[in-house]
Amino acid sequence: SSPGKYALITPFRHLPPPCWQDQMGASREPRAVKNVLNAILMFGVIVPPALLTYHLSSTCGAVTKSDASDMELALDWLRLLLRPWALLKRLAATEAGCELYVHHPAMYVNLVYFIVVDVGFCIIYVLQSSTWLIDPHWQLIPMSIAAFWYSHPDAALKTDGGSRHPRAQLALALLFLWALRLLHNYFRREGWNFGLGEDWRYADMRAAHGAAWWLTQFFAVSLAQHGMLVGLTLPLQAAMAAEGSALNGLDVVAFLICLGGICTGCVADNQLRRYMLTKDRPLILETGLWRYSRHPNHFGEQSWWIGLLLFGVAAKGQWWPICFGVLFNHPLDTFVTLPLIEQRMLRGPERAQLFREYQARTPLIVPLPRRSGSPKKAD
């Protein structure tokens, strides 16, 4: 997942490239150099926002909240969006940056994301002619946002020496488990290479959009991911707040759904990998979880995010606005991403009919009983 990858973002490629060969046919030595440079890039883009946040957390003491309303403040900052460098300079300014960091942390997360990911990543996409960077960051960005909320002053318990709420500790541990599992699956699928290839959906868009892709990818890749990644992690603010309610029954439900989603995605991805590595394999994967769902990996991913949402609800007792990410991401995944995957599966004439039969007897995403049938072997 991310979704392995997930939604419009982190794709599940059903036909991964050979792990021993670059998609462009490059030799081992240039590939090794690219791996090192792309690894530095992948982790390096995290450093500037981390340093900025550390600077503000270290220098911001008791900050007086301005009289401006949230809407007025948001509009004030929005005027700088077309000038990212000026926006970054203002963020680093002690007074303005501290007020945003301390009193409007959600706005701070969105602004930093816009500068680093929406704009910064988009420049990298153009320079590298590839959008590969967003794939591993479907895990690294939620990890970074989780670390931000966990370390924010609002998460420090006032009566316990600044320690964190048990819910915050539990949510952080689960999120890192989810992210590390998916990072392992991503790099395993990529043959432990960095930047080997981009999501096939974006490759198709690149070919379809032609010369305009340098611009349209800002909307199709950057802005679309913003709503998903920032939206899906919104519950972390509530879940990690020191003033959240005590652990309750909904936390138990959230924990079970999160863990179930992680385990489901792990089992489904491992079954898919074994299938892809089998030489004399059926034309359609129709065993294990894939017998009861055409996309069990996406079911696990969607379940994970619903569980995380419930942690936020358990803390504050409110669904809005923290449910925005799920309401935005899950319909896109179900009604846009999955149909694209299935259209791709139907392109091969040798398995199109078999896949239509598989569609007829197997649920799209939620694992449910269905009529049995034996898939045909590949020639």
Side-chain angles (χ1 to χ4, degrees), residues 308-373:
L308 191 66
L309 169 61
L310 292 180
F311 273 120
V313 176
K316 295 291 187 177
Q318 297 178 340
W319 289 87
W320 182 260
I322 62 174
C323 67
F324 169 81
V326 166
L327 293 179
F328 178 53
N329 184 79
H330 287 32
L332 282 175
D333 185 52
T334 303
F335 301 112
V336 178
T337 298
L338 298 188
L340 285 174
I341 292 174
E342 301 213 332
Q343 289 172 18
R344 190 170 188 246
M345 295 292 290
L346 291 168
R347 290 178 191 173
E350 73 285 353
R351 65 177 174 183
Q353 183 58 37
L354 286 174
F355 192 74
R356 290 190 186 96
E357 295 172 1
Y358 177 59
Q359 287 176 310
R361 61 176 173 260
T362 309
L364 175 66
I365 188 166
V366 179
L368 294 171
R370 60 85 192 243
R371 290 179 297 174
S372 61

Side-chain angles (χ1 to χ4, degrees), residues 141-258:
I141 290 174
M143 293 171 76
S144 300
I145 293 176
F148 170 82
W149 290 120
Y150 190 82
S151 62
H152 192 267
D154 287 347
L157 294 173
K158 306 298 188 292
T159 59
D160 195 14
S163 63
R164 269 36 183 181
H165 196 292
R167 182 183 293 108
Q169 298 173 3
L170 181 59
L172 185 71
L174 284 170
L175 188 135
F176 271 67
L177 175 63
W178 163 83
L180 292 174
R181 202 285 297 177
L182 281 180
L183 279 173
H184 172 266
N185 185 64
Y186 168 76
F187 283 111
R188 180 178 65 175
R189 190 181 66 232
E190 297 296 302
W192 306 103
N193 288 292
F194 293 79
L196 185 63
E198 66 181 346
D199 178 353
W200 59 267
R201 284 161 288 192
Y202 297 140
D204 287 353
M205 289 183 191
R206 182 185 303 278
H209 292 204
W213 179 240
W214 72 271
L215 176 62
T216 57
Q217 68 183 349
F218 176 75
F219 302 95
V221 184
S222 294
L223 289 185
Q225 315 289 342
H226 189 141
M228 295 174 194
L229 282 166
V230 176
L232 287 168
T233 54
L234 275 177
L236 290 171
Q237 180 179 12
M240 295 187 175
E243 297 180 355
S245 64
L247 291 176
N248 53 66
L250 191 54
D251 288 297
V252 176
V253 175
F255 172 79
L256 293 176
I257 293 177
C258 282

Side-chain angles (χ1 to χ4, degrees), residues 270-346:
N270 286 336
Q271 290 173 347
L272 177 59
R273 177 174 173 80
R274 284 196 297 270
Y275 167 79
M276 294 305 302
L277 294 177
T278 300
K279 183 177 181 181
D280 184 25
R281 62 177 179 264
L283 289 171
I284 305 296
L285 172 57
E286 211 171 347
T287 58
L289 293 177
W290 300 83
R291 179 178 179 81
Y292 305 102
S293 167
R294 305 203 299 273
H295 303 279
N297 42 10
H298 286 252
F299 175 74
E301 186 76 0
Q302 290 191 17
S303 299
W304 152 257
W305 289 115
I306 290 173
L308 191 66
L309 169 61
L310 292 180
F311 273 120
V313 176
K316 295 291 187 177
Q318 297 178 340
W319 289 87
W320 182 260
I322 62 174
C323 67
F324 169 81
V326 166
L327 293 179
F328 178 53
N329 184 79
H330 287 32
L332 282 175
D333 185 52
T334 303
F335 301 112
V336 178
T337 298
L338 298 188
L340 285 174
I341 292 174
E342 301 213 332
Q343 289 172 18
R344 190 170 188 246
M345 295 292 290
L346 291 168

